[in-house]
Amino acid sequence: QDGAHRLLRQPDGKFVAVGSVDSAYVQGHQALGLTRISNNGLIDTTFGDGVAPAGRSIVQPAAGEDITGNGVTLLPDGEIVVASTYSNPATFGALFGFQSSGNGFWDVEGASGSAYNDVLALADGRLLVGGAVQGASSTGDFALVLYDSAGGLIDHLTVPFDRGGSNNDVVQRITFVAAANAASGRLGYVYAIGSVALANYASGHANIECGIV
């Protein structure tokens, strides 16, 4: 079940791939995995947690649990931050912050029922996460969550579509467009795109629509 979900290009030309790898505990479960690749296409063996094979960092969940790496960004100090979703079997979003060497990390959990699919580092070092949270009138709403560079929660925004579907409305990808306005204090705009579940749509599927925040 090993698979890369997102790719980050560092300023030095190296690439960090984040995704999921087989859990060390139970077949069929997933752990969070990162690897760094030099610009010559070879694995960067200077990167890693010192436990996994050289060039790799792996965060193992407990037996029977899963962590998927869904998004990745780079802080100004070189720290690598990964947006992930944790299942145990309850689901919640989580952020993992790795040292630039891949060794050592901090982590912070989102609300129960949440999912984190993408993360951006803003120019001031704050982290913007896109995903989903449980909604009052639906199984899930579009969510944007703002953290400081150490994973401290600052604020969050939810956008309910409430079109009657039985699946989560969830942000898949986010981007930031700078458009500063000194009078209002605005730094720019966030654009979020994801899936919105419609009423009477086939079970287990979601109709794709674009949400802009």
Side-chain angles (χ1 to χ4, degrees), residues 3-211:
H5 299 159
R6 295 300 298 275
L7 190 66
L8 168 73
R9 187 179 187 274
Q10 298 185 163
D12 61 4
K14 295 180 180 180
F15 294 88
V16 176
V18 61
S20 303
V21 300
D22 285 332
S23 169
Y25 300 107
V26 181
Q27 186 175 6
H29 288 274
Q30 297 176 318
L32 170 64
L34 291 84
T35 188
R36 188 159 69 192
I37 302 166
S38 299
N39 54 16
N40 60 5
L42 299 177
I43 292 176
D44 177 8
T45 56
T46 67
F47 179 85
D49 57 20
V51 178
R56 302 164 179 85
S57 290
I58 298 175
V59 179
Q60 293 284 358
E65 301 178 355
D66 296 277
I67 312 176
T68 58
N70 304 321
V72 60
T73 193
L74 195 68
L75 286 172
D77 64 359
E79 191 170 319
I80 300 164
V81 179
V82 176
S84 66
T85 299
Y86 199 108
S87 301
N88 69 342
T91 299
F92 55 88
L95 281 184
F96 290 86
F98 294 83
Q99 297 177 10
S100 59
S101 64
N103 188 18
F105 66 87
W106 54 259
D107 64 286
V108 61
E109 298 176 2
S112 177
S114 62
Y116 287 177
N117 292 328
D118 204 5
V119 58
L120 292 176
L122 302 179
D124 59 5
R126 290 182 297 173
L127 295 163
L128 184 65
V129 178
V133 296
Q134 287 186 328
S137 58
S138 67
T139 54
D141 291 332
F142 270 38
L144 295 172
V145 187
L146 187 65
Y147 290 93
D148 63 29
S149 60
L153 178 64
I154 297 175
D155 205 350
H156 70 280
L157 171 71
T158 59
V159 181
F161 284 81
D162 294 339
R163 300 299 301 274
S166 59
N167 299 305
N168 283 339
D169 299 339
V170 56
V171 174
Q172 300 291 351
R173 296 290 177 260
I174 54 176
T175 191
F176 178 80
V177 178
N181 183 298
S184 66
R186 185 189 70 217
L187 297 178
Y189 296 99
V190 175
Y191 292 86
I193 186 169
S195 57
V196 176
L198 304 181
N200 302 318
Y201 202 72
S203 177
H205 298 277
N207 196 14
I208 302 299
E209 294 191 359
C210 178

